[in-house]
mmCIF file of all heavy atoms in Angstrom:
data_model
loop_
_atom_site.group_PDB
_atom_site.id
_atom_site.type_symbol
_atom_site.label_atom_id
_atom_site.label_comp_id
_atom_site.label_asym_id
_atom_site.label_seq_id
_atom_site.Cartn_x
_atom_site.Cartn_y
_atom_site.Cartn_z
ATOM 1 N N ARG A 55 -154.341 -153.719 18.301
ATOM 2 C CA ARG A 55 -153.884 -152.841 19.378
ATOM 3 C C ARG A 55 -154.658 -151.531 19.427
ATOM 4 O O ARG A 55 -154.612 -150.830 20.430
ATOM 5 C CB ARG A 55 -152.395 -152.538 19.217
ATOM 6 C CG ARG A 55 -151.486 -153.735 19.467
ATOM 7 C CD ARG A 55 -150.035 -153.342 19.393
ATOM 8 N NE ARG A 55 -149.700 -152.348 20.398
ATOM 9 C CZ ARG A 55 -148.501 -151.769 20.491
ATOM 10 N NH1 ARG A 55 -147.550 -152.064 19.630
ATOM 11 N NH2 ARG A 55 -148.262 -150.871 21.434
ATOM 12 N N LYS A 56 -155.349 -151.212 18.362
ATOM 13 C CA LYS A 56 -156.053 -149.936 18.308
ATOM 14 C C LYS A 56 -157.065 -149.763 19.435
ATOM 15 O O LYS A 56 -157.117 -148.707 20.065
ATOM 16 C CB LYS A 56 -156.725 -149.770 16.948
ATOM 17 C CG LYS A 56 -155.753 -149.362 15.848
ATOM 18 C CD LYS A 56 -156.474 -149.105 14.537
ATOM 19 C CE LYS A 56 -155.486 -148.653 13.462
ATOM 20 N NZ LYS A 56 -156.170 -148.395 12.171
ATOM 21 N N PRO A 57 -157.917 -150.777 19.716
ATOM 22 C CA PRO A 57 -158.862 -150.613 20.843
ATOM 23 C C PRO A 57 -158.152 -150.374 22.162
ATOM 24 O O PRO A 57 -158.603 -149.566 22.980
ATOM 25 C CB PRO A 57 -159.619 -151.940 20.844
ATOM 26 C CG PRO A 57 -159.498 -152.456 19.456
ATOM 27 C CD PRO A 57 -158.142 -152.035 18.994
ATOM 28 N N HIS A 58 -157.009 -151.064 22.365
ATOM 29 C CA HIS A 58 -156.248 -150.891 23.605
ATOM 30 C C HIS A 58 -155.690 -149.478 23.699
ATOM 31 O O HIS A 58 -155.732 -148.842 24.763
ATOM 32 C CB HIS A 58 -155.111 -151.905 23.660
ATOM 33 C CG HIS A 58 -154.177 -151.707 24.824
ATOM 34 N ND1 HIS A 58 -154.530 -152.000 26.115
ATOM 35 C CD2 HIS A 58 -152.910 -151.208 24.879
ATOM 36 C CE1 HIS A 58 -153.526 -151.708 26.922
ATOM 37 N NE2 HIS A 58 -152.534 -151.229 26.206
ATOM 38 N N ILE A 59 -155.183 -148.960 22.565
ATOM 39 C CA ILE A 59 -154.620 -147.608 22.554
ATOM 40 C C ILE A 59 -155.715 -146.574 22.798
ATOM 41 O O ILE A 59 -155.530 -145.615 23.549
ATOM 42 C CB ILE A 59 -153.911 -147.346 21.211
ATOM 43 C CG1 ILE A 59 -152.687 -148.259 21.072
ATOM 44 C CG2 ILE A 59 -153.493 -145.879 21.114
ATOM 45 C CD1 ILE A 59 -152.011 -148.175 19.726
ATOM 46 N N ARG A 60 -156.880 -146.794 22.163
ATOM 47 C CA ARG A 60 -157.998 -145.869 22.363
ATOM 48 C C ARG A 60 -158.453 -145.880 23.822
ATOM 49 O O ARG A 60 -158.732 -144.834 24.407
ATOM 50 C CB ARG A 60 -159.168 -146.246 21.447
ATOM 51 C CG ARG A 60 -158.971 -145.824 20.004
ATOM 52 C CD ARG A 60 -160.283 -145.848 19.248
ATOM 53 N NE ARG A 60 -160.833 -147.187 19.197
ATOM 54 C CZ ARG A 60 -160.592 -148.048 18.207
ATOM 55 N NH1 ARG A 60 -159.815 -147.706 17.201
ATOM 56 N NH2 ARG A 60 -161.140 -149.238 18.218
ATOM 57 N N TYR A 61 -158.512 -147.078 24.402
ATOM 58 C CA TYR A 61 -158.912 -147.199 25.808
ATOM 59 C C TYR A 61 -157.918 -146.479 26.715
ATOM 60 O O TYR A 61 -158.315 -145.745 27.629
ATOM 61 C CB TYR A 61 -158.989 -148.677 26.193
ATOM 62 C CG TYR A 61 -159.206 -148.920 27.668
ATOM 63 C CD1 TYR A 61 -160.468 -148.787 28.239
ATOM 64 C CD2 TYR A 61 -158.139 -149.272 28.493
ATOM 65 C CE1 TYR A 61 -160.667 -148.999 29.595
ATOM 66 C CE2 TYR A 61 -158.328 -149.479 29.846
ATOM 67 C CZ TYR A 61 -159.595 -149.345 30.388
ATOM 68 O OH TYR A 61 -159.785 -149.550 31.730
ATOM 69 N N LYS A 62 -156.628 -146.659 26.432
ATOM 70 C CA LYS A 62 -155.587 -146.022 27.241
ATOM 71 C C LYS A 62 -155.668 -144.507 27.134
ATOM 72 O O LYS A 62 -155.559 -143.787 28.138
ATOM 73 C CB LYS A 62 -154.218 -146.523 26.790
ATOM 74 C CG LYS A 62 -153.059 -146.010 27.635
ATOM 75 C CD LYS A 62 -151.744 -146.615 27.168
ATOM 76 C CE LYS A 62 -150.585 -146.097 28.018
ATOM 77 N NZ LYS A 62 -149.287 -146.677 27.567
ATOM 78 N N ASN A 63 -155.878 -144.009 25.908
ATOM 79 C CA ASN A 63 -155.974 -142.562 25.704
ATOM 80 C C ASN A 63 -157.217 -141.985 26.368
ATOM 81 O O ASN A 63 -157.178 -140.891 26.946
ATOM 82 C CB ASN A 63 -155.981 -142.245 24.216
ATOM 83 C CG ASN A 63 -154.632 -142.498 23.551
ATOM 84 O OD1 ASN A 63 -153.597 -142.519 24.218
ATOM 85 N ND2 ASN A 63 -154.646 -142.718 22.250
ATOM 86 N N ASN A 64 -158.334 -142.719 26.280
ATOM 87 C CA ASN A 64 -159.574 -142.262 26.917
ATOM 88 C C ASN A 64 -159.425 -142.229 28.433
ATOM 89 O O ASN A 64 -159.889 -141.290 29.092
ATOM 90 C CB ASN A 64 -160.738 -143.174 26.535
ATOM 91 C CG ASN A 64 -161.153 -143.005 25.092
ATOM 92 O OD1 ASN A 64 -160.862 -141.988 24.475
ATOM 93 N ND2 ASN A 64 -161.822 -144.009 24.544
ATOM 94 N N LEU A 65 -158.771 -143.255 28.980
ATOM 95 C CA LEU A 65 -158.560 -143.311 30.434
ATOM 96 C C LEU A 65 -157.673 -142.155 30.879
ATOM 97 O O LEU A 65 -157.948 -141.513 31.907
ATOM 98 C CB LEU A 65 -157.925 -144.645 30.814
ATOM 99 C CG LEU A 65 -157.666 -144.883 32.306
ATOM 100 C CD1 LEU A 65 -158.983 -144.832 33.087
ATOM 101 C CD2 LEU A 65 -156.976 -146.221 32.535
ATOM 102 N N LYS A 66 -156.645 -141.856 30.108
ATOM 103 C CA LYS A 66 -155.742 -140.752 30.438
ATOM 104 C C LYS A 66 -156.484 -139.424 30.402
ATOM 105 O O LYS A 66 -156.300 -138.560 31.268
ATOM 106 C CB LYS A 66 -154.569 -140.736 29.457
ATOM 107 C CG LYS A 66 -153.528 -139.674 29.756
ATOM 108 C CD LYS A 66 -152.378 -139.766 28.767
ATOM 109 C CE LYS A 66 -151.328 -138.695 29.065
ATOM 110 N NZ LYS A 66 -150.197 -138.772 28.101
ATOM 111 N N ALA A 67 -157.359 -139.264 29.395
ATOM 112 C CA ALA A 67 -158.133 -138.028 29.276
ATOM 113 C C ALA A 67 -159.084 -137.857 30.449
ATOM 114 O O ALA A 67 -159.265 -136.755 30.968
ATOM 115 C CB ALA A 67 -158.916 -138.038 27.962
ATOM 116 N N ILE A 68 -159.700 -138.963 30.884
ATOM 117 C CA ILE A 68 -160.618 -138.916 32.027
ATOM 118 C C ILE A 68 -159.877 -138.520 33.298
ATOM 119 O O ILE A 68 -160.326 -137.657 34.062
ATOM 120 C CB ILE A 68 -161.316 -140.279 32.213
ATOM 121 C CG1 ILE A 68 -162.273 -140.545 31.043
ATOM 122 C CG2 ILE A 68 -162.076 -140.324 33.535
ATOM 123 C CD1 ILE A 68 -162.847 -141.945 31.029
ATOM 124 N N VAL A 69 -158.730 -139.142 33.529
ATOM 125 C CA VAL A 69 -157.935 -138.860 34.736
ATOM 126 C C VAL A 69 -157.476 -137.409 34.751
ATOM 127 O O VAL A 69 -157.510 -136.733 35.782
ATOM 128 C CB VAL A 69 -156.730 -139.821 34.817
ATOM 129 C CG1 VAL A 69 -155.756 -139.366 35.902
ATOM 130 C CG2 VAL A 69 -157.197 -141.241 35.103
ATOM 131 N N ASN A 70 -157.061 -136.896 33.590
ATOM 132 C CA ASN A 70 -156.573 -135.521 33.527
ATOM 133 C C ASN A 70 -157.697 -134.490 33.553
ATOM 134 O O ASN A 70 -157.443 -133.303 33.736
ATOM 135 C CB ASN A 70 -155.722 -135.326 32.270
ATOM 136 C CG ASN A 70 -154.347 -135.937 32.405
ATOM 137 O OD1 ASN A 70 -153.794 -136.011 33.502
ATOM 138 N ND2 ASN A 70 -153.794 -136.395 31.298
ATOM 139 N N SER A 71 -158.938 -134.941 33.363
ATOM 140 C CA SER A 71 -160.069 -134.016 33.427
ATOM 141 C C SER A 71 -160.486 -133.713 34.863
ATOM 142 O O SER A 71 -161.243 -132.781 35.112
ATOM 143 C CB SER A 71 -161.266 -134.595 32.663
ATOM 144 O OG SER A 71 -161.823 -135.706 33.357
ATOM 145 N N LEU A 72 -159.981 -134.510 35.810
ATOM 146 C CA LEU A 72 -160.343 -134.328 37.212
ATOM 147 C C LEU A 72 -159.738 -133.037 37.769
ATOM 148 O O LEU A 72 -158.575 -132.726 37.513
ATOM 149 C CB LEU A 72 -159.853 -135.512 38.055
ATOM 150 C CG LEU A 72 -160.423 -136.895 37.717
ATOM 151 C CD1 LEU A 72 -159.727 -137.964 38.550
ATOM 152 C CD2 LEU A 72 -161.926 -136.930 37.967
ATOM 153 N N GLU A 73 -160.525 -132.316 38.558
ATOM 154 C CA GLU A 73 -159.991 -131.148 39.263
ATOM 155 C C GLU A 73 -159.218 -131.576 40.498
ATOM 156 O O GLU A 73 -158.354 -130.844 40.981
ATOM 157 C CB GLU A 73 -161.127 -130.210 39.656
ATOM 158 C CG GLU A 73 -161.787 -129.513 38.474
ATOM 159 C CD GLU A 73 -162.807 -128.496 38.918
ATOM 160 O OE1 GLU A 73 -162.983 -128.323 40.143
ATOM 161 O OE2 GLU A 73 -163.433 -127.868 38.044
ATOM 162 N N ASP A 74 -159.540 -132.746 41.026
ATOM 163 C CA ASP A 74 -158.843 -133.275 42.191
ATOM 164 C C ASP A 74 -157.505 -133.882 41.764
ATOM 165 O O ASP A 74 -157.369 -134.391 40.646
ATOM 166 C CB ASP A 74 -159.683 -134.347 42.891
ATOM 167 C CG ASP A 74 -160.987 -133.792 43.424
ATOM 168 O OD1 ASP A 74 -161.037 -132.583 43.720
ATOM 169 O OD2 ASP A 74 -161.955 -134.558 43.541
ATOM 170 N N GLU A 75 -156.557 -133.832 42.680
ATOM 171 C CA GLU A 75 -155.254 -134.431 42.400
ATOM 172 C C GLU A 75 -155.342 -135.953 42.510
ATOM 173 O O GLU A 75 -155.963 -136.489 43.430
ATOM 174 C CB GLU A 75 -154.220 -133.932 43.407
ATOM 175 C CG GLU A 75 -154.016 -132.434 43.391
ATOM 176 C CD GLU A 75 -153.205 -131.975 44.582
ATOM 177 O OE1 GLU A 75 -152.175 -132.599 44.880
ATOM 178 O OE2 GLU A 75 -153.618 -130.999 45.226
ATOM 179 N N LEU A 76 -154.714 -136.637 41.571
ATOM 180 C CA LEU A 76 -154.665 -138.094 41.585
ATOM 181 C C LEU A 76 -153.239 -138.548 41.315
ATOM 182 O O LEU A 76 -152.656 -138.195 40.290
ATOM 183 C CB LEU A 76 -155.605 -138.684 40.528
ATOM 184 C CG LEU A 76 -155.639 -140.219 40.451
ATOM 185 C CD1 LEU A 76 -156.225 -140.798 41.738
ATOM 186 C CD2 LEU A 76 -156.452 -140.687 39.256
ATOM 187 N N ILE A 77 -152.676 -139.289 42.262
ATOM 188 C CA ILE A 77 -151.339 -139.841 42.075
ATOM 189 C C ILE A 77 -151.360 -141.328 42.397
ATOM 190 O O ILE A 77 -152.221 -141.798 43.147
ATOM 191 C CB ILE A 77 -150.279 -139.120 42.946
ATOM 192 C CG1 ILE A 77 -150.623 -139.247 44.443
ATOM 193 C CG2 ILE A 77 -150.138 -137.665 42.551
ATOM 194 C CD1 ILE A 77 -149.554 -138.651 45.352
ATOM 195 N N VAL A 78 -150.408 -142.047 41.808
ATOM 196 C CA VAL A 78 -150.254 -143.481 42.060
ATOM 197 C C VAL A 78 -148.891 -143.692 42.688
ATOM 198 O O VAL A 78 -147.877 -143.165 42.193
ATOM 199 C CB VAL A 78 -150.382 -144.299 40.759
ATOM 200 C CG1 VAL A 78 -150.271 -145.794 41.066
ATOM 201 C CG2 VAL A 78 -151.711 -144.001 40.065
ATOM 202 N N ILE A 79 -148.855 -144.457 43.773
ATOM 203 C CA ILE A 79 -147.636 -144.613 44.567
ATOM 204 C C ILE A 79 -147.307 -146.098 44.723
ATOM 205 O O ILE A 79 -148.209 -146.914 44.975
ATOM 206 C CB ILE A 79 -147.809 -143.957 45.952
ATOM 207 C CG1 ILE A 79 -148.169 -142.477 45.768
ATOM 208 C CG2 ILE A 79 -146.553 -144.099 46.794
ATOM 209 C CD1 ILE A 79 -148.630 -141.799 47.027
ATOM 210 N N ASP A 80 -146.030 -146.442 44.576
ATOM 211 C CA ASP A 80 -145.636 -147.843 44.697
ATOM 212 C C ASP A 80 -145.294 -148.202 46.139
ATOM 213 O O ASP A 80 -145.418 -147.365 47.049
ATOM 214 C CB ASP A 80 -144.479 -148.180 43.752
ATOM 215 C CG ASP A 80 -143.181 -147.452 44.108
ATOM 216 O OD1 ASP A 80 -143.082 -146.891 45.220
ATOM 217 O OD2 ASP A 80 -142.266 -147.439 43.270
ATOM 218 N N ARG A 81 -144.842 -149.433 46.339
ATOM 219 C CA ARG A 81 -144.580 -149.919 47.696
ATOM 220 C C ARG A 81 -143.414 -149.197 48.365
ATOM 221 O O ARG A 81 -143.297 -149.190 49.589
ATOM 222 C CB ARG A 81 -144.308 -151.433 47.664
ATOM 223 C CG ARG A 81 -144.233 -152.075 49.034
ATOM 224 C CD ARG A 81 -144.186 -153.581 48.946
ATOM 225 N NE ARG A 81 -145.482 -154.133 48.618
ATOM 226 C CZ ARG A 81 -146.439 -154.374 49.519
ATOM 227 N NH1 ARG A 81 -146.232 -154.066 50.791
ATOM 228 N NH2 ARG A 81 -147.577 -154.907 49.153
ATOM 229 N N ASP A 82 -142.560 -148.581 47.577
ATOM 230 C CA ASP A 82 -141.429 -147.829 48.136
ATOM 231 C C ASP A 82 -141.808 -146.376 48.424
ATOM 232 O O ASP A 82 -140.934 -145.556 48.701
ATOM 233 C CB ASP A 82 -140.245 -147.861 47.167
ATOM 234 C CG ASP A 82 -139.676 -149.269 47.009
ATOM 235 O OD1 ASP A 82 -139.674 -150.020 47.997
ATOM 236 O OD2 ASP A 82 -139.258 -149.609 45.882
ATOM 237 N N TYR A 83 -143.108 -146.074 48.278
ATOM 238 C CA TYR A 83 -143.640 -144.730 48.529
ATOM 239 C C TYR A 83 -143.126 -143.708 47.516
ATOM 240 O O TYR A 83 -143.004 -142.531 47.813
ATOM 241 C CB TYR A 83 -143.326 -144.277 49.961
ATOM 242 C CG TYR A 83 -143.979 -145.139 50.997
ATOM 243 C CD1 TYR A 83 -143.317 -146.245 51.536
ATOM 244 C CD2 TYR A 83 -145.284 -144.895 51.435
ATOM 245 C CE1 TYR A 83 -143.929 -147.064 52.477
ATOM 246 C CE2 TYR A 83 -145.903 -145.705 52.371
ATOM 247 C CZ TYR A 83 -145.224 -146.788 52.892
ATOM 248 O OH TYR A 83 -145.825 -147.605 53.813
ATOM 249 N N ARG A 84 -142.836 -144.195 46.315
ATOM 250 C CA ARG A 84 -142.453 -143.311 45.223
ATOM 251 C C ARG A 84 -143.641 -143.097 44.287
ATOM 252 O O ARG A 84 -144.407 -144.022 44.027
ATOM 253 C CB ARG A 84 -141.272 -143.886 44.430
ATOM 254 C CG ARG A 84 -139.962 -143.907 45.214
ATOM 255 C CD ARG A 84 -138.825 -144.423 44.337
ATOM 256 N NE ARG A 84 -137.557 -144.492 45.057
ATOM 257 C CZ ARG A 84 -136.686 -143.500 45.176
ATOM 258 N NH1 ARG A 84 -136.949 -142.335 44.599
ATOM 259 N NH2 ARG A 84 -135.560 -143.659 45.843
ATOM 260 N N ILE A 85 -143.776 -141.890 43.778
ATOM 261 C CA ILE A 85 -144.868 -141.568 42.864
ATOM 262 C C ILE A 85 -144.535 -142.116 41.475
ATOM 263 O O ILE A 85 -143.478 -141.827 40.929
ATOM 264 C CB ILE A 85 -145.079 -140.044 42.787
ATOM 265 C CG1 ILE A 85 -145.444 -139.497 44.178
ATOM 266 C CG2 ILE A 85 -146.165 -139.695 41.774
ATOM 267 C CD1 ILE A 85 -145.488 -137.992 44.250
ATOM 268 N N ILE A 86 -145.459 -142.919 40.917
ATOM 269 C CA ILE A 86 -145.213 -143.510 39.606
ATOM 270 C C ILE A 86 -146.152 -142.946 38.531
ATOM 271 O O ILE A 86 -145.899 -143.113 37.346
ATOM 272 C CB ILE A 86 -145.320 -145.054 39.648
ATOM 273 C CG1 ILE A 86 -146.686 -145.491 40.180
ATOM 274 C CG2 ILE A 86 -144.211 -145.637 40.509
ATOM 275 C CD1 ILE A 86 -146.888 -147.004 40.194
ATOM 276 N N GLN A 87 -147.225 -142.273 38.952
ATOM 277 C CA GLN A 87 -148.120 -141.601 38.010
ATOM 278 C C GLN A 87 -148.742 -140.398 38.704
ATOM 279 O O GLN A 87 -148.922 -140.397 39.919
ATOM 280 C CB GLN A 87 -149.233 -142.539 37.517
ATOM 281 C CG GLN A 87 -148.774 -143.628 36.569
ATOM 282 C CD GLN A 87 -148.301 -143.109 35.235
ATOM 283 O OE1 GLN A 87 -148.618 -141.975 34.862
ATOM 284 N NE2 GLN A 87 -147.523 -143.908 34.511
ATOM 285 N N ALA A 88 -149.080 -139.385 37.920
ATOM 286 C CA ALA A 88 -149.720 -138.180 38.471
ATOM 287 C C ALA A 88 -150.542 -137.530 37.366
ATOM 288 O O ALA A 88 -150.112 -137.479 36.216
ATOM 289 C CB ALA A 88 -148.683 -137.207 39.005
ATOM 290 N N ASN A 89 -151.732 -137.037 37.717
ATOM 291 C CA ASN A 89 -152.551 -136.369 36.701
ATOM 292 C C ASN A 89 -152.164 -134.892 36.580
ATOM 293 O O ASN A 89 -151.334 -134.381 37.332
ATOM 294 C CB ASN A 89 -154.044 -136.554 36.987
ATOM 295 C CG ASN A 89 -154.504 -135.775 38.217
ATOM 296 O OD1 ASN A 89 -153.690 -135.287 39.012
ATOM 297 N ND2 ASN A 89 -155.801 -135.656 38.388
#
C-alpha cells in the first residue's frame, strides 16, 4: 500500500500547489473535493 499512499499524497500536494481553484462536483451538484 505504500506506493499507493505515496501517490495519493503526491497528487494531493500537486493539487494544493495550484493557485487556481479546483473543486470536484458530483451529479447532484454537491462539492465533494476542494483544493
Side-chain angles (χ1 to χ4, degrees):
R55 291 184 61 184
K56 282 184 178 180
H58 174 72
I59 294 174
R60 283 197 298 268
Y61 172 79
K62 185 177 180 180
N63 290 338
N64 289 339
L65 181 60
K66 183 178 180 180
I68 292 171
V69 169
N70 284 330
S71 71
L72 298 174
E73 291 186 1
D74 297 333
E75 300 168 46
L76 180 66
I77 60 175
V78 182
I79 303 168
D80 66 14
R81 189 171 285 276
D82 294 325
Y83 297 92
R84 291 183 181 273
I85 299 172
I86 57 178
Q87 288 293 341
N89 70 347

